[in-house]
Structures are given as structure tokens and as C-alpha cells.
Amino acid sequence: MSPTRPLLNDTGPLADATTPWPYPFWIAHRGAGQHAPENTLAAFRAGAALGWRAFECDVKLSADGVPYLLHDDTLERTTDAAGSAGALAWADLARLDAGGWHSRRHAGEPPPSLDAIAVFCLRNGLVLNLELKPVPGDEERTGHVVAHAVRQRWGEAVRDGVGVWPLLSSFEPRTLAAAREAVPELPLALLLDTLAPDCFDIAERLDCVAVVLDESLLTAELVRSLHHDGLRVLAYTVNDAERADLLIDLGLDGLITDAVDMFIPSA
Ligand code: G3P
Ligand code: MG
């Protein structure tokens, strides 16, 4: 597919939210997870080669507590192994093929550690939206360990003004709470696929800077009200140009997309 529409800018429409916002408007989903196997370094390389500067990816823990990238609770869809994604030690996970399911040319691509992704992003000036996706039962440990890993990996670059903290998001409030407690300075975002009556109170209690909503939930009134409350508003996963235009007109602060060759992330 060839690029069809340049975008207006790279920082998004101005919102009336007061939270400083260092993140690009356009965010590639799961790395650039349709061009190359999702949540692998190959996907990040594919997106970066197309000019993308911001990436969403999913992080969870190995049995021995190493943060690594994988979407599902189990291994079978995106690796050559089966069973719980939290059952193997990192040494065993690192030997898996997380690329062969996608295409022959990516066969042998390993699941990446968060460390490897950090090195690639920092070296190339890329920004992360790190979705904490704990395997069931590992909610608190995941928040705690990932937050410490982020501080260790990004802290120096952030202090020196040459890097931006990853935006840590999760559907799981317990995970965000554990991250908040472990490293209070990290920016958090609550992910929402439905609007429960107390969902924005939870975001406020966790001192989130943003909420990331399923794109179907968004209305102009909701965006206005969230901005009024000082929250940035992002949407996932927007792959349709007309829908993207509509959401941009609502004044969103970020869009997460798989369509990395249709949308162009900088003018
Ligand atoms: O972070 C936004 C989006 O990735 C949430 O859904 O299932 O693609 O991780 P999922
Ligand atoms: Mg995700």
C-alpha cells in the first residue's frame, strides 16, 4: 500500500489539557506489528525505516522476572512454543522463534527483552508507549519490575534531556498502582476498552497523565471533559483514514495504528 495522506503535524492538535506532552501524535502499534512480527525488534526496525518515531508495545515478565515483549497470555500464536507466557525463564524464551509465524523471512526472530528495545529506542531517538500486560496473577510484580527497569534504562537519558520516559499504560489498575509506588515519577496511562462508571476516578487516583481508549468509545463531549480534567486522550487502534480524520477533529492527543504505510507520521 502506498502512502495516501500526509498528516498535519507530528505533535497533534493542541488540547486544553495542561499536562506537558512530549509524545508524538502517531504511535505504531506493537512495533510496526503488521509489517514484521509484532513486538519484535524487526517490527521496530520496519517502523523506524518508514519514519515512525513512537511505538506501542506489550511487555510482561518471564518466570524469572525479566521484562520482555509479547502480547498474549500464552506463547502459541506468536512463537513456536506453547503454554503460559509467564512459565519459562528468560534464557528459554530468548531461544524461541517469534517471527516464523509471521513470514518466512522473519523466521528465527527472537522475542526481545525490554532491555534490547530500550537500547534500540534510545540509540535512535524513538519514544515508547509501553503497555504493561501482565500474565494473570502477575499484576503487581509486573508493575514493580517494569517500572524499575524503565528507570534504570531511561533514567540517564531523561536526566540529560536526550530521552523521554516511556508512557506506561495498562488495562490493569493493580499493575499501574505497583508501577506508581515503585517509581513515582513515571508517566502513567489507564487503558480502557469499556467505560465503567468509576473508570476515570481510577485514572485520577493513579495520578495518570492520560487515558488510552478504544477508539469506538470516543465522543467530542468525552474528550472535552477529559481534557477539562487535565487528562490527555489517546485512541487505539485506528486503521481507517476517515475515522482518523474524525478523531483528529475531536482534538485527541495521540492515535495508535497498525497502518504504518498509510499514515505518514511527520509532515
Ligand atoms: O495499547 C493499546 C492497545 O495495544 C491495546 O490493545 O490488545 O492491542 O494490546 P492490544
Ligand atoms: Mg498493546
Side-chain angles (χ1 to χ4, degrees):
M1 204 185 332
S2 62
T4 55
R5 50 196 306 276
L7 298 170
L8 298 177
N9 61 56
D10 200 24
T11 52
L14 283 180
D16 56 3
T18 51
T19 317
W21 197 246
Y23 303 100
F25 182 79
W26 289 92
I27 302 172
H29 189 219
R30 304 185 191 178
Q34 289 192 345
H35 275 243
E38 64 183 52
N39 287 313
T40 65
L41 260 176
F44 279 74
R45 289 198 175 100
L50 288 167
W52 286 73
R53 293 176 44 232
F55 295 86
E56 186 266 1
C57 60
D58 306 293
V59 64
K60 49 179 38 75
L61 299 184
S62 67
D64 52 344
V66 176
Y68 78 103
L69 269 50
L70 195 90
H71 180 274
D72 297 1
D73 290 342
T74 57
L75 296 166
E76 38 267 35
R77 184 177 64 88
T78 58
T79 79
D80 58 344
S84 166
L88 296 183
W90 173 242
D92 297 319
L93 287 165
R95 282 196 286 267
L96 298 184
D97 176 1
W101 67 275
H102 176 274
S103 50
R104 273 163 53 187
R105 77 191 173 97
H106 289 298
E109 180 75 31
S113 64
L114 178 60
D115 268 5
I117 294 296
V119 169
F120 183 75
C121 288
L122 287 166
R123 188 76 179 85
N124 289 286
L126 307 174
V127 174
L128 272 192
N129 166 204
L130 201 52
E131 182 189 342
L132 280 64
K133 237 185 193 6
V135 293
D138 210 14
E139 288 81 9
E140 279 88 5
R141 186 179 71 137
T142 301
H144 184 88
V145 170
V146 171
H148 280 294
V150 165
R151 180 167 63 186
Q152 190 182 4
R153 270 296 173 185
W154 273 267
E156 191 181 330
V158 172
R159 270 193 305 279
D160 293 350
V162 295
V164 171
W165 287 127
L167 176 65
L168 269 50
S169 62
S170 186
F171 287 107
E172 182 46 74
R174 285 175 293 172
T175 301
L176 291 177
R180 169 64 71 227
E181 195 186 326
V183 185
E185 66 264 36
L186 297 182
L188 302 184
L190 183 63
L191 269 161
L192 296 167
D193 54 9
T194 52
L195 294 180
D198 62 343
C199 61
F200 300 122
D201 296 338
I202 294 173
E204 193 184 333
R205 275 204 298 279
L206 291 166
D207 195 23
C208 288
V209 294
V211 284
V212 185
L213 278 76
D214 183 296
E215 57 90 11
S216 66
L217 300 174
L218 286 160
T219 62
E221 194 190 349
L222 180 58
V223 175
R224 261 197 308 274
S225 143
L226 291 168
H227 279 166
H228 181 265
D229 292 344
L231 285 165
R232 296 286 180 162
V233 186
L234 286 74
Y236 73 92
T237 306
V238 184
N239 296 331
D240 175 82
E242 274 180 37
R243 182 65 183 154
D245 280 341
L246 229 147
L247 292 169
I248 289 168
D249 287 347
L250 299 188
L252 288 196
D253 301 287
L255 288 184
I256 298 173
T257 184
D258 296 307
V260 296
D261 51 2
M262 181 169 72
F263 300 118
I264 302 172
S266 54

PDB file of all heavy atoms in Angstrom, residues 61-93:
ATOM      1  N   LEU A  61       6.452 -10.350  32.094  1.00  0.00           N
ATOM      2  CA  LEU A  61       7.656 -10.884  32.749  1.00  0.00           C
ATOM      3  C   LEU A  61       7.829 -12.367  32.463  1.00  0.00           C
ATOM      4  O   LEU A  61       6.860 -13.133  32.460  1.00  0.00           O
ATOM      5  CB  LEU A  61       7.568 -10.683  34.263  1.00  0.00           C
ATOM      6  CG  LEU A  61       7.459  -9.255  34.775  1.00  0.00           C
ATOM      7  CD1 LEU A  61       7.473  -9.255  36.302  1.00  0.00           C
ATOM      8  CD2 LEU A  61       8.566  -8.367  34.227  1.00  0.00           C
ATOM      9  N   SER A  62       9.086 -12.770  32.294  1.00  0.00           N
ATOM     10  CA  SER A  62       9.416 -14.195  32.270  1.00  0.00           C
ATOM     11  C   SER A  62       9.258 -14.751  33.687  1.00  0.00           C
ATOM     12  O   SER A  62       9.086 -14.000  34.662  1.00  0.00           O
ATOM     13  CB  SER A  62      10.860 -14.376  31.793  1.00  0.00           C
ATOM     14  OG  SER A  62      11.740 -13.828  32.763  1.00  0.00           O
ATOM     15  N   ALA A  63       9.358 -16.071  33.801  1.00  0.00           N
ATOM     16  CA  ALA A  63       9.214 -16.694  35.128  1.00  0.00           C
ATOM     17  C   ALA A  63      10.251 -16.156  36.103  1.00  0.00           C
ATOM     18  O   ALA A  63       9.980 -16.015  37.307  1.00  0.00           O
ATOM     19  CB  ALA A  63       9.337 -18.209  35.000  1.00  0.00           C
ATOM     20  N   ASP A  64      11.445 -15.834  35.590  1.00  0.00           N
ATOM     21  CA  ASP A  64      12.489 -15.319  36.476  1.00  0.00           C
ATOM     22  C   ASP A  64      12.547 -13.787  36.464  1.00  0.00           C
ATOM     23  O   ASP A  64      13.558 -13.188  36.856  1.00  0.00           O
ATOM     24  CB  ASP A  64      13.858 -15.939  36.144  1.00  0.00           C
ATOM     25  CG  ASP A  64      14.229 -15.815  34.669  1.00  0.00           C
ATOM     26  OD1 ASP A  64      13.330 -15.540  33.837  1.00  0.00           O
ATOM     27  OD2 ASP A  64      15.407 -15.983  34.337  1.00  0.00           O
ATOM     28  N   GLY A  65      11.458 -13.149  36.035  1.00  0.00           N
ATOM     29  CA  GLY A  65      11.307 -11.708  36.256  1.00  0.00           C
ATOM     30  C   GLY A  65      11.997 -10.805  35.266  1.00  0.00           C
ATOM     31  O   GLY A  65      12.242  -9.638  35.573  1.00  0.00           O
ATOM     32  N   VAL A  66      12.272 -11.303  34.059  1.00  0.00           N
ATOM     33  CA  VAL A  66      12.873 -10.434  33.026  1.00  0.00           C
ATOM     34  C   VAL A  66      11.749  -9.849  32.163  1.00  0.00           C
ATOM     35  O   VAL A  66      10.951 -10.603  31.597  1.00  0.00           O
ATOM     36  CB  VAL A  66      13.861 -11.230  32.144  1.00  0.00           C
ATOM     37  CG1 VAL A  66      14.402 -10.354  31.016  1.00  0.00           C
ATOM     38  CG2 VAL A  66      14.994 -11.785  32.991  1.00  0.00           C
ATOM     39  N   PRO A  67      11.666  -8.510  32.052  1.00  0.00           N
ATOM     40  CA  PRO A  67      10.643  -7.919  31.179  1.00  0.00           C
ATOM     41  C   PRO A  67      10.962  -8.214  29.710  1.00  0.00           C
ATOM     42  O   PRO A  67      12.083  -7.979  29.250  1.00  0.00           O
ATOM     43  CB  PRO A  67      10.752  -6.413  31.457  1.00  0.00           C
ATOM     44  CG  PRO A  67      11.521  -6.287  32.726  1.00  0.00           C
ATOM     45  CD  PRO A  67      12.432  -7.479  32.783  1.00  0.00           C
ATOM     46  N   TYR A  68       9.949  -8.715  28.985  1.00  0.00           N
ATOM     47  CA  TYR A  68      10.140  -8.997  27.560  1.00  0.00           C
ATOM     48  C   TYR A  68       8.844  -8.720  26.826  1.00  0.00           C
ATOM     49  O   TYR A  68       7.772  -8.584  27.447  1.00  0.00           O
ATOM     50  CB  TYR A  68      10.627 -10.433  27.335  1.00  0.00           C
ATOM     51  CG  TYR A  68       9.565 -11.496  27.428  1.00  0.00           C
ATOM     52  CD1 TYR A  68       9.030 -12.088  26.279  1.00  0.00           C
ATOM     53  CD2 TYR A  68       9.075 -11.925  28.665  1.00  0.00           C
ATOM     54  CE1 TYR A  68       8.045 -13.061  26.362  1.00  0.00           C
ATOM     55  CE2 TYR A  68       8.091 -12.897  28.747  1.00  0.00           C
ATOM     56  CZ  TYR A  68       7.579 -13.455  27.590  1.00  0.00           C
ATOM     57  OH  TYR A  68       6.595 -14.424  27.675  1.00  0.00           O
ATOM     58  N   LEU A  69       8.938  -8.627  25.485  1.00  0.00           N
ATOM     59  CA  LEU A  69       7.768  -8.215  24.701  1.00  0.00           C
ATOM     60  C   LEU A  69       6.991  -9.418  24.173  1.00  0.00           C
ATOM     61  O   LEU A  69       7.553 -10.299  23.504  1.00  0.00           O
ATOM     62  CB  LEU A  69       8.225  -7.340  23.519  1.00  0.00           C
ATOM     63  CG  LEU A  69       8.275  -5.823  23.760  1.00  0.00           C
ATOM     64  CD1 LEU A  69       9.020  -5.477  25.021  1.00  0.00           C
ATOM     65  CD2 LEU A  69       8.826  -5.096  22.562  1.00  0.00           C
ATOM     66  N   LEU A  70       5.691  -9.426  24.487  1.00  0.00           N
ATOM     67  CA  LEU A  70       4.772 -10.416  23.925  1.00  0.00           C
ATOM     68  C   LEU A  70       3.366  -9.925  24.239  1.00  0.00           C
ATOM     69  O   LEU A  70       3.134  -9.360  25.307  1.00  0.00           O
ATOM     70  CB  LEU A  70       4.985 -11.802  24.553  1.00  0.00           C
ATOM     71  CG  LEU A  70       4.344 -12.955  23.781  1.00  0.00           C
ATOM     72  CD1 LEU A  70       5.323 -13.532  22.749  1.00  0.00           C
ATOM     73  CD2 LEU A  70       3.893 -14.081  24.699  1.00  0.00           C
ATOM     74  N   HIS A  71       2.442 -10.150  23.326  1.00  0.00           N
ATOM     75  CA  HIS A  71       1.077  -9.667  23.547  1.00  0.00           C
ATOM     76  C   HIS A  71       0.234 -10.633  24.368  1.00  0.00           C
ATOM     77  O   HIS A  71      -0.411 -10.244  25.350  1.00  0.00           O
ATOM     78  CB  HIS A  71       0.400  -9.411  22.196  1.00  0.00           C
ATOM     79  CG  HIS A  71      -1.009  -8.920  22.338  1.00  0.00           C
ATOM     80  ND1 HIS A  71      -2.092  -9.770  22.471  1.00  0.00           N
ATOM     81  CD2 HIS A  71      -1.517  -7.660  22.391  1.00  0.00           C
ATOM     82  CE1 HIS A  71      -3.199  -9.058  22.599  1.00  0.00           C
ATOM     83  NE2 HIS A  71      -2.882  -7.782  22.550  1.00  0.00           N
ATOM     84  N   ASP A  72       0.211 -11.892  23.962  1.00  0.00           N
ATOM     85  CA  ASP A  72      -0.774 -12.825  24.520  1.00  0.00           C
ATOM     86  C   ASP A  72      -0.354 -13.359  25.890  1.00  0.00           C
ATOM     87  O   ASP A  72       0.822 -13.315  26.258  1.00  0.00           O
ATOM     88  CB  ASP A  72      -0.958 -14.021  23.581  1.00  0.00           C
ATOM     89  CG  ASP A  72      -1.525 -13.620  22.219  1.00  0.00           C
ATOM     90  OD1 ASP A  72      -1.760 -12.418  21.977  1.00  0.00           O
ATOM     91  OD2 ASP A  72      -1.715 -14.525  21.383  1.00  0.00           O
ATOM     92  N   ASP A  73      -1.327 -13.950  26.590  1.00  0.00           N
ATOM     93  CA  ASP A  73      -1.019 -14.645  27.848  1.00  0.00           C
ATOM     94  C   ASP A  73      -0.283 -15.953  27.589  1.00  0.00           C
ATOM     95  O   ASP A  73       0.344 -16.509  28.487  1.00  0.00           O
ATOM     96  CB  ASP A  73      -2.320 -14.995  28.591  1.00  0.00           C
ATOM     97  CG  ASP A  73      -3.008 -13.769  29.152  1.00  0.00           C
ATOM     98  OD1 ASP A  73      -2.353 -12.724  29.282  1.00  0.00           O
ATOM     99  OD2 ASP A  73      -4.220 -13.875  29.457  1.00  0.00           O
ATOM    100  N   THR A  74      -0.419 -16.462  26.366  1.00  0.00           N
ATOM    101  CA  THR A  74       0.210 -17.745  26.024  1.00  0.00           C
ATOM    102  C   THR A  74       1.109 -17.576  24.802  1.00  0.00           C
ATOM    103  O   THR A  74       1.020 -16.585  24.080  1.00  0.00           O
ATOM    104  CB  THR A  74      -0.858 -18.825  25.737  1.00  0.00           C
ATOM    105  OG1 THR A  74      -1.695 -18.345  24.686  1.00  0.00           O
ATOM    106  CG2 THR A  74      -1.692 -19.117  26.980  1.00  0.00           C
ATOM    107  N   LEU A  75       1.945 -18.596  24.593  1.00  0.00           N
ATOM    108  CA  LEU A  75       3.002 -18.466  23.592  1.00  0.00           C
ATOM    109  C   LEU A  75       2.593 -18.881  22.180  1.00  0.00           C
ATOM    110  O   LEU A  75       3.255 -18.510  21.205  1.00  0.00           O
ATOM    111  CB  LEU A  75       4.203 -19.325  24.023  1.00  0.00           C
ATOM    112  CG  LEU A  75       4.890 -18.888  25.326  1.00  0.00           C
ATOM    113  CD1 LEU A  75       5.830 -19.982  25.840  1.00  0.00           C
ATOM    114  CD2 LEU A  75       5.666 -17.592  25.094  1.00  0.00           C
ATOM    115  N   GLU A  76       1.506 -19.647  22.040  1.00  0.00           N
ATOM    116  CA  GLU A  76       1.320 -20.346  20.767  1.00  0.00           C
ATOM    117  C   GLU A  76       1.050 -19.473  19.533  1.00  0.00           C
ATOM    118  O   GLU A  76       1.479 -19.817  18.439  1.00  0.00           O
ATOM    119  CB  GLU A  76       0.275 -21.476  20.849  1.00  0.00           C
ATOM    120  CG  GLU A  76      -0.921 -21.210  21.692  1.00  0.00           C
ATOM    121  CD  GLU A  76      -0.732 -21.715  23.121  1.00  0.00           C
ATOM    122  OE1 GLU A  76       0.405 -21.651  23.618  1.00  0.00           O
ATOM    123  OE2 GLU A  76      -1.723 -22.155  23.730  1.00  0.00           O
ATOM    124  N   ARG A  77       0.348 -18.361  19.678  1.00  0.00           N
ATOM    125  CA  ARG A  77       0.028 -17.587  18.466  1.00  0.00           C
ATOM    126  C   ARG A  77       1.265 -16.967  17.833  1.00  0.00           C
ATOM    127  O   ARG A  77       1.400 -16.962  16.607  1.00  0.00           O
ATOM    128  CB  ARG A  77      -0.998 -16.480  18.784  1.00  0.00           C
ATOM    129  CG  ARG A  77      -1.432 -15.701  17.533  1.00  0.00           C
ATOM    130  CD  ARG A  77      -2.488 -14.656  17.846  1.00  0.00           C
ATOM    131  NE  ARG A  77      -2.017 -13.616  18.736  1.00  0.00           N
ATOM    132  CZ  ARG A  77      -1.401 -12.496  18.353  1.00  0.00           C
ATOM    133  NH1 ARG A  77      -1.172 -12.281  17.070  1.00  0.00           N
ATOM    134  NH2 ARG A  77      -1.003 -11.595  19.235  1.00  0.00           N
ATOM    135  N   THR A  78       2.185 -16.472  18.642  1.00  0.00           N
ATOM    136  CA  THR A  78       3.294 -15.695  18.063  1.00  0.00           C
ATOM    137  C   THR A  78       4.683 -16.284  18.336  1.00  0.00           C
ATOM    138  O   THR A  78       5.683 -15.592  18.106  1.00  0.00           O
ATOM    139  CB  THR A  78       3.264 -14.229  18.572  1.00  0.00           C
ATOM    140  OG1 THR A  78       3.349 -14.237  19.988  1.00  0.00           O
ATOM    141  CG2 THR A  78       2.002 -13.512  18.140  1.00  0.00           C
ATOM    142  N   THR A  79       4.739 -17.519  18.815  1.00  0.00           N
ATOM    143  CA  THR A  79       6.052 -18.174  18.910  1.00  0.00           C
ATOM    144  C   THR A  79       5.905 -19.643  18.508  1.00  0.00           C
ATOM    145  O   THR A  79       4.792 -20.127  18.276  1.00  0.00           O
ATOM    146  CB  THR A  79       6.660 -18.116  20.335  1.00  0.00           C
ATOM    147  OG1 THR A  79       6.045 -19.115  21.154  1.00  0.00           O
ATOM    148  CG2 THR A  79       6.519 -16.761  20.979  1.00  0.00           C
ATOM    149  N   ASP A  80       7.023 -20.344  18.486  1.00  0.00           N
ATOM    150  CA  ASP A  80       6.985 -21.773  18.147  1.00  0.00           C
ATOM    151  C   ASP A  80       6.855 -22.647  19.387  1.00  0.00           C
ATOM    152  O   ASP A  80       7.076 -23.855  19.326  1.00  0.00           O
ATOM    153  CB  ASP A  80       8.233 -22.162  17.339  1.00  0.00           C
ATOM    154  CG  ASP A  80       9.531 -21.867  18.076  1.00  0.00           C
ATOM    155  OD1 ASP A  80       9.505 -21.097  19.082  1.00  0.00           O
ATOM    156  OD2 ASP A  80      10.579 -22.392  17.668  1.00  0.00           O
ATOM    157  N   ALA A  81       6.487 -22.043  20.525  1.00  0.00           N
ATOM    158  CA  ALA A  81       6.277 -22.819  21.751  1.00  0.00           C
ATOM    159  C   ALA A  81       4.811 -22.684  22.173  1.00  0.00           C
ATOM    160  O   ALA A  81       4.032 -21.984  21.536  1.00  0.00           O
ATOM    161  CB  ALA A  81       7.196 -22.314  22.858  1.00  0.00           C
ATOM    162  N   ALA A  82       4.450 -23.367  23.250  1.00  0.00           N
ATOM    163  CA  ALA A  82       3.073 -23.300  23.754  1.00  0.00           C
ATOM    164  C   ALA A  82       3.109 -23.155  25.268  1.00  0.00           C
ATOM    165  O   ALA A  82       4.145 -23.338  25.896  1.00  0.00           O
ATOM    166  CB  ALA A  82       2.313 -24.568  23.356  1.00  0.00           C
ATOM    167  N   GLY A  83       1.957 -22.803  25.821  1.00  0.00           N
ATOM    168  CA  GLY A  83       1.854 -22.682  27.275  1.00  0.00           C
ATOM    169  C   GLY A  83       1.892 -21.238  27.719  1.00  0.00           C
ATOM    170  O   GLY A  83       1.951 -20.312  26.895  1.00  0.00           O
ATOM    171  N   SER A  84       1.856 -21.048  29.030  1.00  0.00           N
ATOM    172  CA  SER A  84       1.786 -19.704  29.592  1.00  0.00           C
ATOM    173  C   SER A  84       3.030 -18.886  29.242  1.00  0.00           C
ATOM    174  O   SER A  84       4.156 -19.374  29.328  1.00  0.00           O
ATOM    175  CB  SER A  84       1.659 -19.788  31.116  1.00  0.00           C
ATOM    176  OG  SER A  84       1.907 -18.507  31.674  1.00  0.00           O
ATOM    177  N   ALA A  85       2.791 -17.624  28.891  1.00  0.00           N
ATOM    178  CA  ALA A  85       3.897 -16.718  28.567  1.00  0.00           C
ATOM    179  C   ALA A  85       4.716 -16.360  29.797  1.00  0.00           C
ATOM    180  O   ALA A  85       5.788 -15.765  29.683  1.00  0.00           O
ATOM    181  CB  ALA A  85       3.348 -15.439  27.929  1.00  0.00           C
ATOM    182  N   GLY A  86       4.228 -16.735  30.981  1.00  0.00           N
ATOM    183  CA  GLY A  86       4.970 -16.430  32.202  1.00  0.00           C
ATOM    184  C   GLY A  86       5.623 -17.647  32.816  1.00  0.00           C
ATOM    185  O   GLY A  86       6.157 -17.566  33.922  1.00  0.00           O
ATOM    186  N   ALA A  87       5.604 -18.771  32.099  1.00  0.00           N
ATOM    187  CA  ALA A  87       6.086 -20.020  32.724  1.00  0.00           C
ATOM    188  C   ALA A  87       7.563 -20.298  32.468  1.00  0.00           C
ATOM    189  O   ALA A  87       8.196 -21.026  33.231  1.00  0.00           O
ATOM    190  CB  ALA A  87       5.251 -21.195  32.226  1.00  0.00           C
ATOM    191  N   LEU A  88       8.113 -19.713  31.404  1.00  0.00           N
ATOM    192  CA  LEU A  88       9.508 -20.026  31.057  1.00  0.00           C
ATOM    193  C   LEU A  88      10.461 -18.961  31.586  1.00  0.00           C
ATOM    194  O   LEU A  88      10.109 -17.776  31.678  1.00  0.00           O
ATOM    195  CB  LEU A  88       9.677 -20.105  29.536  1.00  0.00           C
ATOM    196  CG  LEU A  88       8.919 -21.209  28.794  1.00  0.00           C
ATOM    197  CD1 LEU A  88       9.267 -21.166  27.308  1.00  0.00           C
ATOM    198  CD2 LEU A  88       9.266 -22.577  29.369  1.00  0.00           C
ATOM    199  N   ALA A  89      11.680 -19.423  31.899  1.00  0.00           N
ATOM    200  CA  ALA A  89      12.734 -18.465  32.266  1.00  0.00           C
ATOM    201  C   ALA A  89      13.194 -17.728  31.011  1.00  0.00           C
ATOM    202  O   ALA A  89      13.018 -18.218  29.886  1.00  0.00           O
ATOM    203  CB  ALA A  89      13.905 -19.194  32.905  1.00  0.00           C
ATOM    204  N   TRP A  90      13.799 -16.558  31.213  1.00  0.00           N
ATOM    205  CA  TRP A  90      14.223 -15.739  30.068  1.00  0.00           C
ATOM    206  C   TRP A  90      15.186 -16.493  29.150  1.00  0.00           C
ATOM    207  O   TRP A  90      15.108 -16.393  27.918  1.00  0.00           O
ATOM    208  CB  TRP A  90      14.821 -14.423  30.540  1.00  0.00           C
ATOM    209  CG  TRP A  90      15.412 -13.647  29.395  1.00  0.00           C
ATOM    210  CD1 TRP A  90      16.697 -13.274  29.216  1.00  0.00           C
ATOM    211  CD2 TRP A  90      14.696 -13.187  28.222  1.00  0.00           C
ATOM    212  NE1 TRP A  90      16.852 -12.619  28.013  1.00  0.00           N
ATOM    213  CE2 TRP A  90      15.628 -12.557  27.390  1.00  0.00           C
ATOM    214  CE3 TRP A  90      13.363 -13.276  27.806  1.00  0.00           C
ATOM    215  CZ2 TRP A  90      15.282 -12.000  26.160  1.00  0.00           C
ATOM    216  CZ3 TRP A  90      13.018 -12.724  26.563  1.00  0.00           C
ATOM    217  CH2 TRP A  90      13.967 -12.090  25.766  1.00  0.00           C
ATOM    218  N   ALA A  91      16.084 -17.275  29.712  1.00  0.00           N
ATOM    219  CA  ALA A  91      17.053 -17.999  28.881  1.00  0.00           C
ATOM    220  C   ALA A  91      16.330 -18.905  27.885  1.00  0.00           C
ATOM    221  O   ALA A  91      16.799 -19.085  26.748  1.00  0.00           O
ATOM    222  CB  ALA A  91      17.992 -18.810  29.764  1.00  0.00           C
ATOM    223  N   ASP A  92      15.202 -19.459  28.264  1.00  0.00           N
ATOM    224  CA  ASP A  92      14.441 -20.333  27.357  1.00  0.00           C
ATOM    225  C   ASP A  92      13.598 -19.505  26.375  1.00  0.00           C
ATOM    226  O   ASP A  92      13.506 -19.836  25.189  1.00  0.00           O
ATOM    227  CB  ASP A  92      13.535 -21.270  28.163  1.00  0.00           C
ATOM    228  CG  ASP A  92      14.368 -22.198  29.037  1.00  0.00           C
ATOM    229  OD1 ASP A  92      15.408 -22.692  28.541  1.00  0.00           O
ATOM    230  OD2 ASP A  92      14.004 -22.396  30.209  1.00  0.00           O
ATOM    231  N   LEU A  93      12.997 -18.430  26.872  1.00  0.00           N
ATOM    232  CA  LEU A  93      12.203 -17.570  25.980  1.00  0.00           C
ATOM    233  C   LEU A  93      13.077 -16.964  24.879  1.00  0.00           C
ATOM    234  O   LEU A  93      12.657 -16.864  23.726  1.00  0.00           O
ATOM    235  CB  LEU A  93      11.568 -16.432  26.791  1.00  0.00           C
ATOM    236  CG  LEU A  93      10.404 -16.820  27.700  1.00  0.00           C
ATOM    237  CD1 LEU A  93      10.120 -15.696  28.704  1.00  0.00           C
ATOM    238  CD2 LEU A  93       9.153 -17.142  26.888  1.00  0.00           C
TER     239      LEU A  93
END
